[in-house]
Structure formats: C-alpha cells, structure tokens
Amino acid sequence: FILEKWRSNHRYAVNAAHFIEDVHGWFRANFREIGDSVGVFDDERLARGGSVDLTPAVLDRFRSTLKSLEGHHQGEDRSWFPSLRRAHPGSNAAFDILEADHKCLHPLESVVFNTKLPMQVRAQALREFIVFLEDHLRREEMIVVPIMLKQR
C-alpha cells in the first residue's frame, strides 16, 4: 500500500524510484537468490535434516555482492546520511539506527566466511544476514523516501 502511495507522488520517479526499485531491488534480488540457491530458506528440507553447502562459487557471489553493498553503505554513511542529517536534524536518531544497522551485518558476514565453523552455523548466518538486510532496506526506505518525496 505505501509503495503505491509513494508511486503516485509526482517526485517518486525523479527522486525515489531508482533508490527503491533499482538499487535496493538489486540487493534484495541478488542476496535472496544466493540464499535460495543453497536452500537457506527451505525450512521443510532443513527440518528433515537437509544440508546446505556454501560452495566456493556461492561464497564468491556472496563476496562480490557484499562488496557492492559495502560501497553503497559507505556512500550513505559518509555522504548521503550526513547531508540528510543537516537538512533534517529532527531525523538524527533515525539515521543513527540506519548506520548501526550497517555495522550489525559485519559479524554475520564473518560467520558466513569462517570455514572453521560447521556448515549449518554458516548457513544460518547467511539466512540471518539476508533477513536482516531486507528489514534494514525496508526501514531505510520508510525513513528516507518521505524525505526524498519532499525534495525538489
């Protein structure tokens, strides 16, 4: 419902569509595909004792997508969020949460790549990473898009 409301705003196409549909959409799709490719969201199979194998190819794709995400987050933390903070000082607490979210992903990344840990632990960390990222992206959109729709 809220996305449809945003899309009806004449500024959506100029200010927010790329952010939500292209940038965040790309991260959502790619990380979800990585998780789906190894079955981390297949609860029925996992409940029956099915295993997950984070192969080198899967980890390479995760690493590559993660590199793009880290660049995106660095741009937000170093440039975009400070600019929005200055323009909207009443939103500082919200931007604190978004920046903290970025840091919460790092421990999960480390677990995914830690080959000394059992595969199931690493797979669970991948699942948690993807779920947390999806929550973060929604949170970020709920905070930032209303600001974007007011900008000229």
Side-chain angles (χ1 to χ4, degrees):
F1 172 74
I2 191 130
L3 184 57
E4 292 308 314
K5 182 178 176 186
W6 289 342
R7 284 182 176 146
S8 70
N9 184 303
H10 67 281
R11 292 189 180 111
Y12 179 82
V14 174
N15 292 355
H18 174 69
F19 175 69
I20 294 174
E21 296 174 19
D22 299 333
V23 177
H24 282 186
W26 187 85
F27 288 124
R28 281 184 177 102
N30 277 277
F31 282 113
R32 181 54 75 150
E33 285 174 14
I34 292 166
D36 286 344
S37 75
V38 294
V40 297
F41 297 104
D42 188 345
D43 292 333
E44 287 182 27
R45 187 177 66 75
L46 294 173
R48 291 189 312 267
S51 63
V52 172
D53 187 14
L54 300 178
T55 65
V58 170
L59 292 174
D60 285 346
R61 182 166 181 211
F62 182 69
R63 184 178 290 109
S64 174
T65 308
L66 189 58
K67 186 175 179 182
S68 295
L69 179 67
E70 288 172 350
H72 172 75
H73 284 166
Q74 286 173 3
E76 288 176 340
D77 292 346
R78 292 179 183 167
S79 178
W80 197 36
F81 289 172
S83 172
L84 291 173
R85 283 176 183 274
R86 287 188 296 278
H88 305 277
S91 298
N92 281 338
F95 289 109
D96 289 344
I97 291 168
L98 296 178
E99 290 174 356
D101 279 357
H102 295 170
K103 293 174 182 73
C104 287
L105 293 168
H106 299 300
L108 294 169
E109 298 162 17
S110 296
V111 172
V112 171
F113 288 115
N114 187 340
T115 58
K116 294 179 182 176
L117 294 173
M119 187 61 70
Q120 289 308 109
V121 171
R122 296 170 61 207
Q124 182 61 33
L126 176 61
R127 178 183 174 131
E128 289 177 24
F129 175 94
I130 295 166
V131 169
F132 186 87
L133 177 64
E134 290 171 349
D135 286 344
H136 164 72
L137 295 174
R138 281 189 294 276
R139 194 167 24 261
E140 188 170 275
E141 291 163 0
M142 295 299 292
I143 292 167
V144 174
V145 170
I147 294 170
M148 295 172 87
L149 295 179
K150 292 177 186 173
Q151 291 178 333
R152 297 188 186 267

